[in-house]
Amino acid sequence: MDINFLLFEQFETLDLFGPVEICGRHPDFQLHYISQNGGLVTSTQGVRIDTEPQRNMNTSGVLVIPGGAGTRTLIKEEPFLKNLRRLSEDASFVLSVCTGSALLARCGILEEKRATSNKRAFDWVVSTSDKVHWIRKARWVHDGKFYTSSGISAGMDMTLGFIRDRFGAPAAERIACRRGIHGLHPEDILEGRLLRIAVPGPLVAQGQHKGCVLIFFSQGPKDRSRFLGIGSCQDPPLHLIEDKIIHQLQIAEEHALVCRRWVK
């Protein structure tokens, strides 16, 4: 499967290399760095990537669009937007990180779709199109062939979710473990409703809980459990806190401990 990373001047470095780190571990993925005309493209942080010209790409592959300062300029460039729409229509799947979703929205490909973006730039992203169903409280959103994520590290979680959807949870978990990613990885948080959480290892918790706080722990010896994170239906993503010990918690399912209240 061809994974085409569409790059532009002033893209955000980690918006690119987070998904690259995940995709690069899948044996069926061939990674390509693409720009309209090829050649060197420079990120906001000064990282230079030698890209292939768009004319050489397999347009039916997966298209990945990072965010970054360059998106603020590109939403005004009609030739780029028309090209992006054409590439998005041809792609089998389209993934965006951070303000990359603003480009997809502006070119019209996300009309009547659910999508999200970087929370710090969310109001600006929303202003690019009123025809998208923007989901503010989501780590990432999946709608049809489109995956859109919040900023920076959320792109890695989204990419793991994409791999899970296409190749199964074990494939995503193996990659996460190999990359030293530990903790909670929301699989699908849409419209403030916690649908499922999956992580590498034995911890699996599921919920349909609205309006409550879920506190997740890993099972430990002698009823001692390490505090992993707090998730709220109103306030994803989950935040990880290490090395806090909690006692006497009710076991939920599959070695996960869930306490539906705040712990002080």
Side-chain angles (χ1 to χ4, degrees):
M1 181 180 287
D2 290 309
I3 312 295
N4 298 311
F5 296 92
L6 182 63
L7 302 185
F8 47 84
E9 290 296 322
Q10 299 291 294
F11 70 89
E12 182 67 28
T13 304
L14 283 180
D15 288 356
L16 170 66
F17 284 112
V20 165
E21 179 73 15
I22 302 301
C23 291
R25 285 288 168 171
H26 197 287
D28 293 338
F29 288 171
Q30 292 80 47
L31 277 54
H32 306 275
Y33 306 100
I34 306 294
S35 65
Q36 276 192 286
N37 300 313
L40 290 175
V41 176
T42 306
S43 77
T44 300
Q45 291 75 25
V47 176
R48 305 177 78 190
I49 305 293
D50 191 9
T51 63
E52 304 173 50
Q54 177 187 308
R55 64 179 178 272
N56 293 343
M57 70 183 285
N58 171 18
T59 57
S60 65
V62 177
L63 183 65
V64 184
I65 303 104
T71 60
R72 305 269 178 163
T73 301
L74 289 176
I75 63 165
K76 303 173 185 176
E77 296 186 7
E78 287 301 322
F80 176 88
L81 295 173
K82 289 180 180 179
N83 180 62
L84 177 60
R85 174 154 190 151
R86 183 170 57 253
L87 292 177
S88 300
E89 289 172 342
D90 291 345
S92 55
F93 295 95
V94 180
L95 284 61
S96 72
V97 183
C98 193
T99 54
S101 59
L103 299 176
L104 294 175
R106 192 70 163 189
C107 78
I109 199 69
L110 289 182
E111 288 187 9
E112 305 305 320
K113 300 288 186 181
R114 296 188 304 272
T116 195
S117 192
N118 188 319
K119 303 307 177 286
R120 292 187 176 182
F122 201 81
D123 291 341
W124 172 76
V125 173
V126 168
S127 73
T128 63
S129 176
D130 60 1
K131 297 179 181 179
V132 178
H133 301 302
W134 294 108
I135 310 300
R136 182 180 292 271
K137 294 181 178 180
R139 184 79 166 153
W140 80 85
V141 171
H142 172 207
D143 192 334
K145 72 174 188 178
F146 296 95
Y147 288 74
T148 56
S149 82
S150 188
I152 310 289
S153 62
M156 298 178 73
D157 289 343
M158 174 192 69
T159 307
L160 286 169
F162 169 73
I163 291 173
R164 177 213 64 202
D165 292 345
R166 307 276 69 78
F167 301 96
E173 290 171 5
R174 282 194 299 271
I175 292 172
C177 287
R178 288 171 183 168
R179 301 326 310 144
I181 301 173
H182 303 290
L184 299 173
H185 298 286
E187 284 194 345
D188 210 359
I189 299 177
L190 297 176
E191 301 173 340
R193 182 162 58 94
L194 180 61
L195 299 178
R196 187 176 180 198
I197 291 174
V199 300
L203 176 60
V204 177
Q206 293 180 319
Q208 293 279 349
H209 311 292
K210 292 187 177 181
C212 69
V213 173
L214 303 179
I215 303 175
F216 295 88
F217 305 84
S218 63
Q219 188 178 30
K222 299 181 180 180
D223 295 323
R224 293 169 64 85
S225 301
R226 187 164 61 88
F227 176 57
L228 290 178
I230 295 174
S232 168
C233 300
Q234 281 75 34
D235 189 30
L238 305 174
H239 301 285
L240 306 183
I241 303 176
E242 300 290 334
D243 299 324
K244 184 171 182 179
I245 305 300
I246 306 295
H247 303 271
Q248 298 178 346
L249 294 169
Q250 179 181 3
I251 295 179
E253 61 180 272
E254 300 208 21
H255 308 293
L257 302 177
V258 180
C259 180
R260 292 172 60 186
R261 58 185 173 83
W262 290 100
V263 173
K264 295 183 179 180

